[in-house]
Amino acid sequence: QSVLTQPPSVSAAPGQKVTISCSGSSSNIANNYVSWYQQLPGTAPKLLIYDNNKRPSRIPDRFSASTSGTSATLGITGLQTGDEADYYCGTWDSSLSAGVFGGGTKLTVL
Amino acid sequence: QVQLQESGPGLVKPSETLSLICSVSGGPISSYYWSWIRQSPGKGLEWIGYMYYSGATDYNPSLKSRVTLSVDTSKNQFSLRLRSVTAADTAVYYCARLRYIVRRFYVDVWGKGTTVTVSS
């Protein structure tokens, strides 16, 4: 069981918007910055979002994120078939003194 | 552009020690934190630990008793040793550059990953 909880899968049509949730606790999301990663099939994860809502320069603004209390949300607009991937949230857990990740969410673009 | 490359045996026998090296190119190993993260087949990501270029380390409590991370700044490399492995340690192992400071923990550079299978 992962410390951070994500839905196993989400789906949406091309061009539409999707959100992926990440639920944690006061020892992780509520008090530490959240990051998000995209893992395309057969490849290493790639950083999408850091510090809750900041995008590396190479990441398009179709990707956004936010946090509220013990939860975080990743949003993807203008869905493309190339967005089909597994998405992971991550942060530091102050109680465990460990980096923690969600179990991952598989995005299907129908 | 910093690039990371993992190397090491792809097959390790149960009860033996898994040893991997990460070679850093395109940038210095100094002034950064470096980490190992693994992904078991069909599973999510698991943080193993980090080390600072100076040698300071911290480990996932669930693996702490079996893990040692070390750095060789002269070779721009850092390494992972995981002792007493079992089939549960079979995974893709990623080396990574970690951005770590108070409240901030994220990986901005990942290696391609190397598959390690534990089997006799």
Side-chain angles (χ1 to χ4, degrees):
Chain A
Q1 290 283 38
S2 300
V3 173
L4 305 179
T5 301
Q6 298 181 235
S9 62
V10 296
S11 62
Q16 297 300 304
K17 174 181 177 177
V18 72
T19 60
I20 297 172
S21 62
C22 175
S23 178
S25 68
S26 59
S27 64
N28 43 66
I29 291 178
N31 287 288
N32 296 295
Y33 290 113
V34 176
S35 53
W36 288 90
Y37 306 87
Q38 177 193 61
Q39 186 175 33
L40 296 169
T43 69
K46 179 178 78 172
L47 178 66
L48 279 182
I49 299 286
Y50 66 99
D51 289 359
N52 291 344
N53 55 19
K54 295 183 173 64
R55 284 177 290 107
S57 56
R58 68 184 185 286
I59 301 300
D61 60 6
R62 299 189 299 108
F63 296 88
S64 63
S66 62
T67 60
S68 178
T70 60
S71 294
T73 302
L74 173 70
I76 310 172
T77 60
L79 277 171
Q80 303 171 2
T81 55
D83 295 331
E84 286 202 336
D86 293 324
Y87 292 84
Y88 293 90
C89 55
T91 188
W92 184 257
D93 190 293
S94 303
S95 292
L96 296 174
S97 289
V100 292
F101 295 95
T105 298
K106 183 176 182 61
L107 168 63
T108 301
V109 181
L110 301 168
Chain B
Q1 171 115 356
V2 174
Q3 293 185 313
L4 308 179
Q5 179 65 59
E6 305 89 350
S7 60
L11 181 64
V12 181
K13 290 183 169 55
S15 80
E16 296 191 343
T17 297
L18 179 162
S19 296
L20 297 175
I21 290 174
C22 182
S23 298
V24 180
S25 60
I29 202 166
S30 57
S31 304
Y32 288 99
Y33 286 86
W34 304 93
S35 199
W36 289 92
I37 294 162
R38 70 181 183 179
Q39 186 170 32
S40 301
K43 300 286 182 61
L45 302 169
E46 180 180 27
W47 176 71
I48 296 171
Y50 71 67
M51 79 198 81
Y52 194 46
Y53 77 100
S54 62
T57 56
D58 197 9
Y59 304 123
N60 189 323
S62 68
L63 297 168
K64 190 171 185 174
S65 64
R66 299 193 291 131
V67 173
T68 301
L69 305 187
S70 58
V71 62
D72 187 337
T73 54
S74 67
K75 294 182 179 179
N76 241 35
Q77 294 177 337
F78 60 101
S79 62
L80 162 71
R81 286 173 58 84
L82 179 64
R83 297 175 292 277
S84 305
V85 298
T86 69
D89 295 309
T90 293
V92 176
Y93 286 77
Y94 295 101
C95 62
R97 189 174 75 177
L98 181 67
R99 299 302 188 125
Y100 177 70
I101 197 170
V102 175
R103 297 184 62 208
R104 174 178 291 146
F105 171 93
Y106 67 91
V107 174
D108 66 343
V109 182
W110 295 77
K112 287 184 168 60
T114 187
T115 299
V116 179
T117 301
V118 178
S119 175
S120 56

